[in-house]
Structure formats: C-alpha cells, structure tokens
Amino acid sequence: MRLVLVALVLAGAARAEAASPSPCPAAARVEVNLPAWRAALQQADSAARRDELLSTIGLGLYAPATESGREPRVTLAGVDDIAVQTEPDARPDHVVHVRYTLDEETLHLVQVLRPLEGRKWCALGDGLSRRDEGPRRLVGYELAFVPLLAARGKALELRVSTSELRRNDTRHEYWITAGGKLRKVFDELTGSMDSSETGGATTTK
C-alpha cells in the first residue's frame, strides 16, 4: 500500500510540474563535454584543478582541516554519468554522481543535467548530494531510478542511512526532475534503531 501511495504522489507531482515548465535560468546553464570532463576529473592532479572541474557543473567539495590542523586526504572513489529518462517524450537527463573519500568520510556529490543544445546543459540541482553532518555519520547511500505510475518517466529514489552516537536512522526519499528543477516530493523515515548506553538491548522503530 505504501508503494502505491508513493507512486501516486510521484505521478501527480510529475504531471503538475510538466504542466508548467520553466526555462533554464542563466545561472544554471553550463557548457561541458561530459565524457571529456569525466576523464579530466579522473586525471586531476591538484585540488585547484579538481575544484575547477567540479564547479563547471555546479558542484563543490569542502574539505575542512582535521582537529590537528592537517588537511584531509582526498581521494576520488568513482564518477558515474547515468542517462535517465525522467520525463515522458523528452531527452534523457544525465545524473552525474561523484564519490570522494576524505580520510574515513565518503562524500556523494550529485548533479542532474538536462540537455539543451549541443554541449549545453541545464543544471537542475545538487539536492541528492550527501556527506557527514557534524556527529551524524553517513553510513549508507543508494541511488536508484523507479518508474512513475502514470507516466513514461522515472523518479530518483534515494536511500540514506546515518549513525549518530547510539542511534541509526534510514530514510527513503523520492525526487523528480520537471519544470526545470530537481524537487523532493516524498521523504520518510523507514527505520530507526536506538542502542542502550550500556550496550545492551536495542529499540527498533
């Protein structure tokens, strides 16, 4: 039943957004050859070059110094360019997913690009990006693409697991790309587990 409700919400949101499309704002327009950009990012030999390439598509990597003042070791763990049909009767969008490790932390940087003409794209948003937030550690990240109930497009499904002190949470989010932007339309806490201070019994919700 929950899956049917989610599908109805997604389909309704997609129809509403498609009914009132908006042009790409100038600030969101980028020009890039994605295969060449991906290769250049994999070969970037300096932080300045890495940051320049990320900013080309509206992404940024903030790597604060550790408590000892040491710069964290930043390593590229992967970069994917996935074509996804997010709207019916439209060219596929491209979901660019870049993963970095900063010492023991993993960063997921995600930008959704909508093709315009030639090598020009509209950056729809980086709302799917995730990293540690203070004491809350990111321990699980899974991005998938699921069909809408009443449309020939797909929504972006994000499952995120976090851990903070003795609490572990899992959230389920659904996003759509329509009307020239990336928008979250469903967000649910699907699992929560609290452990006791003594390390004994746990409570699962």
Side-chain angles (χ1 to χ4, degrees):
M1 179 63 69
R2 185 181 68 84
L3 292 178
V4 173
L5 175 61
V6 171
L8 289 171
V9 171
L10 292 173
R15 287 195 299 269
E17 288 291 324
S20 56
S22 57
C24 182
R29 289 176 174 263
V30 301
E31 185 169 355
V32 63
N33 179 328
L34 280 179
W37 176 89
R38 182 172 181 264
L41 186 65
Q42 292 171 325
Q43 299 168 9
D45 56 2
S46 69
R49 177 58 173 159
R50 175 200 68 209
D51 293 344
E52 175 189 9
L53 289 165
L54 290 174
S55 67
T56 300
I57 64 168
L59 293 176
L61 188 157
Y62 173 58
T66 63
E67 293 181 359
S68 64
R70 177 183 61 84
E71 292 294 326
R73 179 180 177 83
V74 180
T75 304
L76 179 65
V79 52
D80 299 319
D81 171 19
I82 308 167
V84 182
Q85 185 79 36
T86 59
E87 291 188 36
D89 305 319
R91 294 167 61 191
D93 291 333
H94 281 240
V95 179
V96 181
H97 183 186
V98 184
R99 299 175 300 284
Y100 280 99
T101 58
L102 276 68
D103 292 337
E104 297 181 357
E105 178 186 0
T106 300
L107 278 70
H108 294 264
L109 305 178
V110 182
Q111 179 63 269
V112 181
L113 298 175
R114 172 149 297 170
L116 298 176
E117 66 277 342
R119 297 179 179 178
K120 296 179 180 180
W121 308 80
C122 186
L124 302 185
D126 62 350
L128 294 164
S129 299
R130 293 292 186 277
R131 66 180 301 167
D132 290 353
E133 296 180 3
R136 180 173 296 176
R137 300 294 304 278
L138 179 67
V139 296
Y141 183 103
E142 182 181 352
L143 185 60
F145 311 101
V146 296
L148 297 174
L149 184 66
R152 296 185 305 278
K154 292 185 178 181
L156 291 81
E157 177 187 30
L158 178 61
R159 299 183 183 184
V160 175
S161 298
T162 58
S163 177
E164 181 178 2
L165 297 177
R166 293 177 296 277
R167 181 182 178 90
N168 295 279
D169 291 333
T170 299
R171 302 199 70 87
H172 226 139
E173 302 175 9
Y174 290 91
W175 298 68
I176 61 170
T177 57
K181 59 184 178 181
L182 177 68
R183 186 162 73 91
K184 181 164 63 175
V185 295
F186 192 86
D187 185 352
E188 180 183 24
L189 178 66
T190 57
S192 181
M193 184 173 67
D194 294 302
S195 59
S196 68
E197 187 173 356
T198 60
T202 59
T203 302
T204 303
K205 302 175 182 178

